[in-house]
Amino acid sequence: MLSSTGVPPKTAKDQFVPPTVLPQQKSKLMIDPTVVADLRIPQTGQVGDPLSKLMTLSNGSGVGGGIGTGEGGGIGSGRGPGFGPGIFHVGDGVSAPKAIYTPEPEFSEEARKSKYQGVVVLDIVVGVDGRVHSPRVVRSLGMGLDEKAIEKVNVWKFDPAKKDGRPVAVEMNIEVAFNLY
């Protein structure tokens, strides 16, 4: 991601780390922090795309004063002043995604031998493409079952959630059950 403006860090052939200062002490030797690099970048002036046609400076590769790849004053890849790529939660006019393809996960050998079962809870984002993005374990089972749950959830498919008739990404928790019977 290119930044539209900014100044690179000071470079040096050797890196010096400022001494650790205890809260009640002042350092007797002040050293500016540096980055070890052999960069051919000017130490002053703008860094970024010199041919950029940005009308409003942006803190990312997007336009309109935002941070990230989006447009408008937002953060992330969305449009407008919002946060993120427009990730919603079910409710307030946002419908839940409908599962189309949800194959059962396989047991890990360790869990099968121990006859261990239970439920893994994952936090996922169902994108506008109906696929699972960014699965993260909220409640763990261990014994390799968390990894098996994530592995299988990554192939699940959904009819995406909708808001005002348009597909939207939603963040939600799902349960992945491991039952031996």
Side-chain angles (χ1 to χ4, degrees), residues 27-147:
S27 176
K28 294 180 179 155
L29 175 63
M30 296 305 294
I31 300 174
D32 289 331
T34 61
V35 175
V36 175
D38 187 16
L39 302 175
R40 307 274 191 259
I41 299 176
Q43 290 293 312
T44 59
Q46 180 173 342
V47 174
D49 184 0
L51 303 174
S52 175
K53 294 184 172 78
L54 297 176
M55 298 183 100
T56 304
L57 292 178
S58 179
N59 291 317
S61 60
V63 295
I67 299 173
T69 58
E71 56 185 79
I75 299 172
S77 60
R79 287 186 184 176
F83 175 77
I87 298 176
F88 295 87
H89 289 93
V90 176
D92 275 342
V94 179
S95 67
K98 294 178 182 79
I100 297 171
Y101 177 68
T102 57
E104 293 287 321
E106 298 173 10
F107 270 82
S108 65
E109 278 304 310
E110 183 182 9
R112 187 182 314 283
K113 287 178 184 174
S114 301
K115 296 185 179 175
Y116 191 68
Q117 60 184 358
V119 175
V120 174
V121 178
L122 298 175
D123 179 67
I124 64 169
V125 173
V126 177
V128 295
D129 58 359
R131 297 195 177 272
V132 173
H133 302 274
S134 309
R136 183 178 58 86
V137 176
V138 175
R139 189 170 64 213
S140 173
L141 267 181
M143 292 195 150
L145 296 177
D146 302 338
E147 293 80 9

Side-chain angles (χ1 to χ4, degrees), residues 98-105 120 122 124-127 129-133 148-159 172-177:
K98 294 178 182 79
I100 297 171
Y101 177 68
T102 57
E104 293 287 321
V120 174
L122 298 175
I124 64 169
V125 173
V126 177
D129 58 359
R131 297 195 177 272
V132 173
H133 302 274
K148 292 288 188 180
I150 289 173
E151 178 183 305
K152 197 50 80 170
V153 164
N154 276 325
V155 300
W156 285 12
K157 293 179 184 155
F158 292 84
D159 183 21
M172 55 191 259
N173 286 344
I174 59 166
E175 295 181 348
V176 181

